Structure formats: C-alpha cells, structure tokens
Amino acid sequence: MPGTRWRDEEIVENLSSMDPDARLRALRAVKNQIIGNKTKKLSYVKLGAVPRIVEILATDSSVPLLVQSAAAVGSFACGTEEGVRAVLQSDVLSHMLKILSHKDDQVVQAVARSLKLIFNSTLAPRANMFEQNALSQLLQLLFSKNITVAEVAASVLARCCETPRQQSAIASAGAIPRLVHLLSLSTPKSQEAALDALASLTHSNSEISLALLDGPVVERICALLKDRNTRLRVLACSCLANMSRASSLPTARQHELAALALPVAVRLVGEGEGGFHEAPRVVAQLVSGNADMQKVACDAEVVPRLAKLLKKEYDLSPRLLETTLLALAALTERHEQSRKQLVQAKVLDKIVQALANNEQGVRISACKCCLSMSRSVKHLRTALVDSNMTQALLNLLTDGSTEVKEAAAATLCNMVLDFSPMKEQLLSSGGLRHLAVLAQAPQYVLRLNSMWALKNLLYLSKSPSKEAVMQSLSYTTMRQLLLNDVEEVQTANICGQRWRWLRVRVREHDKGSCTVQELTSECEGKETRGPQGLHSEFFMYGVQGVMRLNSWLGIYRTKGHSQTMKWQ
Amino acid sequence: MKSESDDRLTDWRNIFDNGKAFSLRSLRDGATSGIKSLYTGSSVTQEPQLYSGLPFNGMSDRLAGLEVPCSFLSVGQAFEGTQNVPQHSNTGCKEEAWKVHVRIQGCDLDQGYICGSMEALNVPSAKSSVVTFWEGEIVDNKNYNFFTSQHWGADRSTDLKHWSKFACFAPMKDAVTKDDMQNVDLVNCPYIFMRWKEKCFVNVGPDCGLTIAGFYYICFSRNDGSVDGFYYDPNSSPFQKLELRASCEGRFGHGFPSYSFR
C-alpha cells in the first residue's frame, strides 16, 4: 500500500483482523521487516506478534496466508533465542506437523523450511518429532518428489538424532536408503542435507555406522572428501569419523577411512570458522585413543592451527572453543610431540582461562586438555607449573556441575604426583579435603577419580601425608570403599588393584571385617598350598595387595608382620 | 567380575608352568612392533628375576595387562650407585667419585621413551646435592637405534667406542657397525641399551659446578636392574663411569612405589 505506513502495533493488531486481506498484508509487513533484523524481531516478539501468526497458521486455510505465516515463523526462529522461545511457546510445532500433509506444495515447502530453521536451534524439542505420526509425516516428505522438500526433511531429521533411540527410530522408519539416494544426486544442497542426516545418524551409533560401512555409500562419501564445497567436506569427514570409530576393534577398512578423513579434517580446521566448529570435533574423534593418528595429525601441523583459533578466543563461539579444546585434548592424549607443540604455541594460558569459562562444556574440555598435558612427566615439571592451573582446577572441585567436578578430579590425579611441583600447591590450598569429600560422592566416576588422585598423591609420600590422607578420608570410608564399592573404584583405590582379589576372598568367606591381619592370615591359610610347592599365584597376588596396603597406609607397624609373609 | 580375575590368574599360572603362555598372550593381544614385542619373547626366560630381585613391579604390571621387558623399568623404581670421574693430574691418576640416586619417573615403551630424576650426592665442587631431570631414548631399533642423532653431538665412532665398553655389546658389534639391524638380537639380549640425557637442574641453578651438556650411554641389566653407563661430553673427562644397582629403599621389597597416570 504505497503511501500508507502502519505503526508496528497496528500491524500486530491487523494480524488478527477479520479480513483475510488485512491479515495477509500485516503478515507480509511483519515478515519483510524482521528479515535479518534482530531488533525488529525482538520488538515484534514483545508486541505479541508470534502467537497471532501461529493462530493464522493453525486456523487459516488459504494458501498465501499459510505460506506467509510459516515463513514469518521461520524468520522469528532464526537468529535470536528469544524468537525461538516465543515460537516454541506458542506450540507451533504441532500445527506445523499437521500442515505438512497439506496438499499444496508451496505450503508444505514453506512449513518444512521453517521447521528446518526452528530445528537449527538447540532449544527445539526433539522428542515432539517422535510423537504420534510426526516421524512418518517427515519420512513422507523425505520421499517427496519435490527434492527441495526432501532436503528440508533430511535437514530436520539430521537435527533429531540426539539419542540412539531417536537415531534407530529414524533408521528403522526407512530413511537411510532415501538419504543415500539424495546423496547420489548431483545438487550440492541435497548432498549436503543427506550427508548432514547420515552424519547425525551415525554419530556414536555403531549399529547404523556398521550397516553403512558395508554399503556402497562409503565410496560416495569418500569422493565428497575432495569436493569444492567446504561444508560437504566437513560433513563427509564427520561421517567417515563416525564409521571408523564404530567398533572397539577397528578393521583395516575402518583404519583406512580414518586415514583418508584425517588430512582433510586437519585442513578444514580454522577454515571458514563460522559454521565449521565441526572440524575440530572431527579431528578429536579421529585421533582420540590412537597414538598413531595423533602423530599423523601432529605432523600435519594441526596443533598450531588449533592454537591459532584459541588465540582468537573472543571471536569464538563457545561451541567452537569447546571443540577446539577437545581436539587439543585428543591430540595431546598420548603423543608427546603434540604436547610440545601446544606449549610452544603458547596457548596454555588460554586453556587455563577456559577452565573458568561460563559454559560447562568449555570447562570440561579445558580440563581434558590439562589432563592430556599432565600425562607428560616433563611438562608436569615445567610448562604446567608456570601456567598456574592448580587454583583454577581446585575451584572446579566445587563446581555446580558433576561432570565438571569429575573432569577436574581426573586432571588432579596426575598433578599430585611426587615429582610434580604442583603437589605442594594443591595440598596447601586444601585440595586433600576436597578430594576426601568427593571420595564419598554418590557418583561413581567422582569417587573413582578422587580415589585415584589420592592414590597418586601417596606415591612416594612420607608418613605425615599418609596420616593426613587417612585423617581426611577416615578409616570407615576406606573400609566401605574396599568392601562395598563397585569393582572399578577398588581397582583404582589406594591399595592398588590387588585388593580386588582380596575383596573377592573376603566376600567368599563372608568375613565381616577386613583387617590386614585377617586378610593376611587368610592368604596364608588358604592359598599358600600351591600346586608345585612354590608360592601359589593366589598367595602372591594377595600378599602384594596386603603389602601395598601396609606400606601405603603407613599404619601397619605390627612387629614381626613381615616375617609372616614367608618370603623366599 | 570373578571370572575375569580368575582368567588373569590362570594366565599367570601358565606363565609359571611353561613360560609359553606369555608369548602366546602377546600374540593374542596383537602386540606388533617396538620394544614391547621385541622384549616380550625373552622376558619369559627372564621370569626368575621376579624371585631373585626383591621388587616385583613387573609382575603387577603384567597382571594389569601391561607387558614390560623388565620389571626394573617400572615407574617409581629407584637405583643407587656412584659416578666415577678419572682425574688426571701431575701426581698421577686418581679417581673422584660421588654417590648417585636415580629414579625412573616415566616410561613409554611404545615410543622408546624413558625419563626420571638423578641426584648427585657428594659432589666435591657442589655445596648441596644436585638433582637433575633426564629423558632417555631406549634402543629398540624402532624408535631409536645405536647411533645417536646429530643434535646430541656424538658421531658414529663415538657411539661405537662407548657401546663397545659394555661387554654385552660385543656379540652385536659387527652387525651394528655394518648397519645390519636384522642381525641385532635385542629380544634375547639380557641388557637394554639406552641413552639418558639430563635436561634441567631441579633444585639448583646451572652454576652448581656440574654440567649437563653431555649424555650417558646406558646398559641396563634386565636380570637384576643394575645399570652401567658412561658419560659422554667432549668438554668433560672421558668415560666417567656410572654404576647403579636397583634399590629397595629400605622397604625390603615389601612395598614399592608406583603410580599410574589418569
């Protein structure tokens, strides 16, 4: 309407006008104003435009109104969290899913596009897509003759793979053959959507990964590693990384795929930062737990590339910061040269800063980085000391998040070793007390990590430290841990893993108590009768445990005890 | 849980019974290359060391599924002995010696890497004891061979001269000289050859009267953990001899320090 200029409030009013034309005009006005304009989006959200638009979507039947309202909803959901929240609060998803079966293609496309935008946000509730027949509707779209619609469906599906259950629901609904088909088309958009969905479906899902691994689709994905489109390369790397890590004992084929993907992923790090926080994550996935791959990646100079990203910290999204730290943690996990490169890149202070980041994920991956670095005796003595990370780690022991506490306790395990200059710092700032408290935590990993830290703290320690530990921990707790706790905590517990056997014996004989003396006599009574007159291995095994306990506890000073060991 | 520990024990019994299970197990575990597999073969024949030597860390490590070529290579293992420096003066040749304590603090057999600390106790020129941190290369013909890399300042002839001072090197000297590594039998050699290089002073400054410019050629006995070494530094007295024995540190073998990284 040339010449007429409505105020925003009037436009919002008109969204609920009885006149369909007025509604359409108002819709168009809103849509055009908010596109790419965060401030406008926010102001319309405040004026209450979103529920009115959703109302149109829910009740109107005219094609232009539906198309425009769907587009406007999508626009609100894009770019601002407030927008997404407003959209989701108005229960738009159920309406959109209903309209997906609309017979007009335009409507379906518009709705599907908006769905895609909504699902780009992490706020979108995935579970809704698995209720009633939403999934089958999406699947129908995936099989739509209209390729654009199919792409959108694939993109939405890609965002709905957060749990193994969701993944298998999508897979068993028959999505994979269609995705493979989409991948074989020559349009980059459909390839991207299909690859996105396949990458999400295979993520941490060995069943789907292994099923795909046998198919011809792998060749297709490998070919895309060389594609000019960066996004396609990232997604292809991601797919291959998932497949190559799908089995605990990788086959030669899986090794081959990982080796193909790694150099591509390394080159993608730092390239087009915007959407590609995936690249560091893929690198992390490909190299973690594999020293050879860590070496290959390190030789490809990936550490300085990641370090460069870290130095731009302020431009980094929390997600990219997190994945970058994860990649560095994976690279330095077992490979000393990578650690050296990381120190040389001078980013340790950035990592220490990240320990205090607001995002939980960032704090955890920063801990993992410190943990990997602390596996080097040399760096424990030098670079890590200079970085002042101990206080930051100690603070994390009382973090609000259990996962952060677990990661911090794990990192401390190596820093409390005898040759680490940080041991003293940790002890003098009350680290022992924190660890002793965590050793009684309800969460098993926390108990394991803190007991491990206590165990390492006692390595080559003198009696005062031993007494201090037992005072903080108390004998009651110690005894409980020995007798009642899950096996792994015992394995890590201060007596060393030999105790496990002792515990089995104790339980078998239904001993109520577990004094060292009792266990010792049990060892002697039951197990010395070895088949060849030698020490039986049972005996050795048990005695080792007792001895470790003795020397470790620093409490067992009964005279003549060592003579009862029948040492040869 | 029970069955697993039982399995381990059975495994162990086999080692005691016939000594074959161990190599079978390493095959099964897919050990491929490097010092682990190089040495596992003969560590079966070395088994009695577990009884003769007091520390039996190796046994515990093996139970944990970790295969070590020698129980004395475990982290936390201590050694003590002397370093002798031949002094050439006008009055003739007399020897100066000081006590040395060594502890292994890290060992990564896959990478042929070892590190630890070394404490020199009564060094005439130093006021207090001098602690240094060292890193070492294990000669495994995978990560490192007998010839020192350029940046440590020793050439082939220096290498051969020093290695030849160890009697146990004699059988392999010809092969090593000819670069014929196929015929260098490290698996059945009861010694492990290493190079230890001090990296930094821990408790004193660099002006403590000692130098760490050079490095040690080390011959490490897998039988009893004794260590022979020669210090090489073109600017110091030649062939300073390091002699160490595995130490129980007064614990009579009833406890032994060890740690594992998380």
Side-chain angles (χ1 to χ4, degrees), chain B:
Chain B
M1 176 182 78
K2 194 173 166 213
S3 71
E4 192 197 331
S5 58
D6 286 346
D7 274 349
R8 283 191 176 172
L9 294 167
T10 320
D11 238 19
W12 202 19
R13 182 181 306 152
N14 290 342
I15 298 167
F16 278 97
D17 284 352
N18 51 26
K20 278 174 194 152
F22 192 49
S23 42
L24 280 178
R25 201 178 73 155
S26 43
L27 273 178
R28 194 183 67 208
D29 288 353
T32 46
S33 57
I35 191 158
K36 259 193 198 170
S37 52
L38 272 177
Y39 287 122
T40 39
S42 75
S43 65
V44 170
T45 59
Q46 297 298 315
E47 205 65 43
Q49 82 195 18
L50 297 172
Y51 295 102
S52 64
L54 283 171
F56 43 98
N57 316 22
M59 202 180 317
S60 56
D61 281 341
R62 207 163 293 148
L63 282 169
L66 215 160
E67 292 153 8
V68 282
C70 171
S71 57
F72 294 99
L73 268 186
S74 319
V75 293
Q77 177 65 52
F79 301 85
E80 54 188 39
T82 54
Q83 177 157 342
N84 297 291
V85 185
Q87 297 276 316
H88 299 281
S89 61
N90 298 337
T91 52
C93 182
K94 74 176 174 68
E95 277 207 337
E96 191 179 86
W98 57 73
K99 273 170 87 176
V100 176
H101 286 174
V102 165
R103 188 184 301 280
I104 295 178
Q105 290 176 338
C107 185
D108 181 350
L109 298 171
D110 279 335
Q111 307 287 326
Y113 174 85
I114 186 164
C115 67
S117 63
M118 185 181 280
E119 182 180 22
L121 275 107
N122 46 342
V123 185
S125 54
K127 286 186 198 104
S128 62
S129 74
V130 177
V131 183
T132 54
F133 172 68
W134 55 267
E135 291 186 292
E137 302 174 344
I138 301 172
V139 175
D140 54 8
N141 279 346
K142 174 198 167 202
N143 297 289
Y144 303 101
N145 61 25
F146 280 98
F147 297 110
T148 313
S149 64
Q150 297 263 308
H151 56 272
W152 282 13
D155 56 19
R156 276 180 81 97
S157 68
T158 316
D159 287 331
L160 287 171
K161 214 180 335 177
H162 282 86
W163 292 128
S164 304
K165 295 202 69 116
F166 303 119
C168 52
F169 180 69
M172 50 186 91
K173 185 175 178 183
D174 274 354
V176 171
T177 314
K178 287 185 219 142
D179 274 329
D180 181 11
M181 295 309 173
Q182 296 290 321
N183 285 319
V184 177
D185 187 6
L186 291 173
V187 174
N188 293 304
C189 179
Y191 295 89
I192 297 171
F193 298 95
M194 295 183 252
R195 282 179 289 266
W196 292 357
K197 167 111 182 75
E198 287 158 294
K199 293 286 176 171
C200 58
F201 291 104
V202 173
N203 64 335
V204 290
D207 53 350
C208 59
L210 286 185
T211 164
I212 52 169
F215 67 91
Y216 292 91
Y217 290 89
I218 297 289
C219 175
F220 187 103
S221 164
R222 294 162 70 186
N223 283 320
D224 58 8
S226 64
V227 179
D228 282 344
F230 289 100
Y231 188 64
Y232 170 70
D233 173 8
N235 300 316
S236 301
S237 319
F239 303 118
Q240 299 182 27
K241 190 159 200 266
L242 180 72
E243 284 174 299
L244 303 170
R245 289 190 56 224
S247 152
C248 296
E249 303 174 280
R251 272 190 292 267
F252 306 105
H254 289 175
F256 38 86
S258 187
Y259 72 84
S260 43
F261 276 138
R262 179 80 172 105

Side-chain angles (χ1 to χ4, degrees), chain A residues 419-431:
Chain A
F419 45 78
S420 152
M422 286 165 285
K423 177 177 182 174
E424 281 313 309
Q425 291 174 30
L426 282 164
L427 288 182
S428 59
S429 1

Side-chain angles (χ1 to χ4, degrees), chain A residues 505-506 509 511 518-527:
Chain A
R505 312 302 306 168
V506 171
H509 294 272
K511 290 266 174 194
E518 271 177 291
L519 288 170
T520 314
S521 45
E522 178 163 329
C523 287
E524 287 176 345
K526 309 280 179 197
E527 309 298 346

Side-chain angles (χ1 to χ4, degrees), chain A residues 25-257:
Chain A
R25 277 201 301 273
L27 260 181
R28 283 216 173 98
V30 173
K31 197 194 79 181
N32 292 340
Q33 283 188 48
I34 62 170
I35 280 180
N37 189 336
K38 269 193 186 181
T39 343
K40 272 284 170 197
K41 277 179 203 175
L42 287 180
S43 87
Y44 273 111
V45 167
K46 278 194 192 123
L47 289 173
V50 175
R52 290 172 193 252
I53 296 174
V54 173
E55 180 73 22
I56 299 177
L57 198 62
T59 52
D60 260 298
S61 56
S62 101
V63 170
L65 274 174
L66 287 177
V67 170
Q68 291 299 327
S69 57
V73 165
S75 193
F76 273 114
C78 178
T80 62
E81 277 204 3
E82 287 81 356
V84 182
R85 278 208 194 91
V87 166
L88 291 173
Q89 270 163 17
S90 53
D91 193 28
V92 73
L93 286 179
S94 56
H95 303 304
M96 288 178 102
L97 289 174
K98 257 179 239 151
I99 308 172
L100 276 178
S101 44
H102 200 280
K103 51 188 182 299
D104 190 289
D105 250 10
Q106 268 182 303
V107 175
V108 174
Q109 278 194 33
V111 170
R113 255 193 224 112
S114 293
L115 257 187
K116 180 179 162 185
L117 290 173
I118 294 173
F119 273 89
N120 274 343
S121 160
T122 46
L123 297 173
R126 271 67 183 154
N128 284 19
M129 303 312 281
F130 299 89
E131 277 165 15
Q132 292 153 14
N133 52 354
L135 186 60
S136 60
Q137 280 173 331
L138 261 180
L139 257 290
Q140 272 173 18
L141 293 179
L142 187 68
F143 281 89
S144 158
K145 275 189 194 123
N146 184 334
I147 293 300
T148 330
V149 174
E151 282 162 24
V152 170
S155 304
V156 173
L157 285 175
R159 302 283 79 79
C160 295
C161 295
E162 291 193 323
T163 63
R165 220 176 164 170
Q166 295 176 347
Q167 287 167 330
S168 27
I170 294 172
S172 46
I176 289 177
R178 178 64 174 172
L179 291 171
V180 172
H181 172 72
L182 284 178
L183 191 64
S184 68
L185 302 178
S186 54
T187 46
K189 273 208 153 186
S190 56
Q191 287 176 333
E192 186 185 319
L195 211 47
D196 195 3
L198 287 174
S200 307
L201 282 168
T202 48
H203 186 250
S204 315
N205 190 319
S206 51
E207 203 181 325
I208 298 178
S209 295
L210 292 175
L212 279 176
L213 199 59
D214 296 330
V217 65
V218 179
E219 293 307 319
R220 186 82 205 112
I221 299 174
C222 286
L224 289 173
L225 283 176
K226 299 188 194 107
D227 200 276
R228 278 166 58 202
N229 182 328
T230 322
R231 179 82 188 135
L232 277 179
R233 292 208 300 279
V234 173
L235 289 170
C237 283
S238 180
C239 270
L240 293 180
N242 293 340
M243 291 182 202
S244 67
R245 302 312 296 264
S247 27
S248 45
L249 270 178
T251 60
R253 176 78 172 135
Q254 282 170 312
H255 278 305
E256 189 192 344
L257 292 180

